[in-house]
Every structure is written in structure tokens, then in C-alpha cells.
Amino acid sequence: MELATQRTKWLGKSWKFFEVTSSTQDEAKKWVQEGAPHGALVIAEKQTQGRGRLGRSWFSPPRKNLYFTVALQLPSSSPPLNTLSLLAGVAVAEALRSQFNAQVFVKWANDVVSSDGRKLAGILVEGLKDRSGIDWALVGIGVNVNLTEDELPDELQEIATSLQILLGRKLNRFQVLDAILVSLENWWEDWAGQGIETLRKTFAQFDWLKGKQVRLSLPNGEKFEGIANGITEKGELKLTLQDGSELCFAAGEVTLRSLEIPFKA
Ligand code: BTN
């Protein structure tokens, strides 16, 4: 099996491939505890317990998509961990746009979507400490590449899509992986070196929620409705409420959906 990761400088140069595993996040976690290098990549053909955010599962059939995790050692003064999911979203969207001409967007905080809001890629960021107490991030990325409409399970028909559905052709998954890793490596260097300002500007260009009416739920059951208005310098979502006031929300446990019917002022 060939991994086309030669265009990167350091990301994905050390890698582990699994035909089947529970989750690439679990394998990457084990590897970090055993001494993985910064930028280590774990990729699987199939996951039996692919994980999404908020305890959801991630549809992971074999030979169709990409499921991978990169293990990144955090610099001592890095921007907050939650901004890494913005970084990964922007990196994936930029790679798919520039290399494959795919009209994709980032949907705060963790999703890459098509123009109709169907999800094409999901990102899961988990933090951990290695045995020497150094902080790491495991950035897990799932991309629906060569799934057809028929292959999407019923519960995903309305909400998910794939690159093949979007572009009308099959793609080489390893070219997709390569493009994403190159982009991720560039964005990581920018993020670790300069912070999130450039990232925020690019996020704004790809921001699917911008100007849309959304409903947001907090874990305590509180709900807010408003117009999404970009992100703050900490990566929080800005929401303009009906009365004109603005609230900011950190990604964490927030669930969010865009509303089809705009509310009347
Ligand atoms: C989400 O949208 O909720 C995040 C989905 C993340 C899925 C990827 S697939 C590779 C890695 N391994 C996992 O178990 N999850 C992530």
C-alpha cells in the first residue's frame, strides 16, 4: 500500500496503516504513549468504532473514504486547543478547493460542508499528555471521498455528501490525503508561529454559517437563536440575537443547526 505523503516536510513522514481498527484516534493515542514523533500519522481502511464529536459515531466503510489521525506535539505557548479544529477545517477546505476545485465550506466549528450544508468531512480534536507530561493533540479527520448516494445509510441521506457526489467523478484517495496533509502542515506552521489571525481571515472566506439564522443549544438545555456573524480571535462563534446584542460561544459541547425559515424582526 502506497502512501502519497512525500510532498510534506514533516507531517505524516512516520505513519501506521491499519486495514481495520477500532478508531485511528485510539491507535494514535497508544502510539503517543509509546513515543510517536511529532506529525505521526495513523490511517485506516475501515474503523469499527469510528468516533465523532459528542459521542456520535462516524460512518467508516472500507475502501471508500479517508479516516486518519495526526498526532501533534503542542508548542508551550500555542493558541487554545479548540482552535485546532478550525485549523483542520480550513486546511481540508483549502486543499479540496485548490486541488480538486470542490466548492466546499467550513461550518463552525468542526465540519466541512458542500454549498447546501451537507457534511463532507468531520474533525475530532482530542488532547492528551504523553508520559513526560507534554501536551499533544490528536487531530482526527474523516473525509467522504468515493461514496455514492446509494451507499449513504438512510439516516445520513439528507445530511451527508461525498467528493464523488459533488464532483461527479471518483478520486484517488491518496491524492486527497496528500493534498490535505500538505495544507495541514502549512496551516500548523502558521498557527504555531503566528497564532490564529491568518486562519481567521481564511475561515471568514469559507464560512458557511456567515449571515445564516442558527439555533444553538448548550449542554444545560439553554437555547439561542440568532444570525451567525463570524468567529472571535479565540475561535468562538459570534451570534447576533434578535435584539441586536451579540453573544460568543466556545465550541465544546455546543450543538448547532441552521434554520430554514428566517425569523421575522
Ligand atoms: C465529527 O464530525 O463529529 C467528527 C468526525 C471525525 C471522524 C474521524 S475519522 C478518523 C478519526 N477517527 C475517529 O474515530 N474519528 C476521527
Side-chain angles (χ1 to χ4, degrees):
M1 132 112 195
E2 179 199 344
L3 271 191
T5 57
Q6 293 315 306
R7 289 197 307 134
T8 55
K9 290 177 278 173
W10 49 269
L11 185 62
K13 293 293 186 193
S14 290
W15 52 269
K16 286 188 181 184
F17 167 77
F18 294 86
E19 196 64 49
V20 184
T21 186
S22 54
S23 158
T24 55
Q25 296 289 107
D26 299 339
E27 297 293 350
K29 190 173 186 175
K30 247 191 269 167
W31 196 5
V32 167
Q33 301 304 355
E34 290 160 5
H38 174 61
L41 166 72
V42 176
I43 180 159
E45 266 297 4
K46 175 181 171 179
Q47 299 183 117
T48 52
Q49 286 166 55
R51 294 204 293 278
R53 281 180 66 230
L54 309 172
R56 294 175 188 140
S57 62
W58 185 255
F59 180 55
S60 308
R63 308 204 179 281
K64 294 285 171 181
N65 298 328
L66 284 172
Y67 318 111
F68 63 96
T69 298
V70 289
L72 298 161
Q73 192 176 336
L74 292 169
S76 48
S77 62
S78 64
L81 190 69
N82 67 324
T83 60
L84 264 184
S85 48
L86 305 177
L87 179 153
V90 165
V92 171
E94 196 170 71
L96 299 181
R97 280 172 168 249
S98 64
Q99 299 293 306
F100 304 99
N101 210 12
Q103 275 310 298
V104 296
F105 299 84
V106 284
K107 182 177 171 197
W108 184 90
N110 302 63
D111 298 344
V112 177
V113 298
S114 57
S115 56
D116 60 5
R118 287 170 198 237
K119 186 153 155 175
L120 187 92
I123 290 149
L124 179 68
V125 176
E126 296 175 316
L128 84 153
K129 278 194 194 299
D130 67 15
R131 284 183 305 192
S132 334
I134 294 170
D135 285 308
W136 288 71
L138 303 179
V139 179
I141 301 180
V143 187
N144 294 340
V145 183
N146 290 326
L147 280 180
T148 59
E149 301 262 14
D150 299 348
E151 289 164 339
L152 283 169
D154 288 349
E155 67 277 15
L156 297 181
Q157 287 279 338
E158 303 278 301
I159 53 170
T161 189
S162 72
L163 280 170
Q164 176 168 345
I165 297 169
L166 214 61
L167 300 175
R169 66 184 172 97
K170 268 197 169 27
L171 295 178
N172 176 319
R173 286 177 299 150
F174 296 103
Q175 283 175 3
V176 178
L177 174 67
D178 184 40
I180 293 174
L181 290 177
V182 168
S183 178
L184 204 54
E185 181 179 82
N186 288 334
W187 278 109
W188 169 271
E189 287 177 356
D190 185 84
W191 178 88
Q194 331 290 329
I196 81 155
E197 222 21 66
T198 330
L199 183 67
R200 204 154 81 100
K201 287 198 186 108
T202 308
F203 187 94
Q205 289 168 23
F206 301 164
D207 186 355
W208 186 80
L209 283 176
K210 174 92 181 159
K212 288 194 171 70
Q213 175 81 28
V214 299
R215 178 177 297 147
L216 192 140
S217 312
L218 300 185
N220 65 6
E222 252 188 301
K223 290 189 176 18
F224 297 89
E225 269 184 41
I227 307 279
N229 190 20
I231 58 170
T232 67
E233 57 290 341
K234 291 192 206 136
E236 301 156 329
L237 179 74
K238 292 193 270 181
L239 203 63
T240 307
L241 305 186
Q242 239 174 333
D243 63 8
S245 61
E246 193 171 85
L247 289 179
C248 301
F249 296 91
E253 301 288 294
V254 164
T255 53
L256 174 127
R257 71 182 182 91
S258 63
L259 303 168
E260 291 89 344
I261 308 158
F263 65 38
K264 305 226 169 22

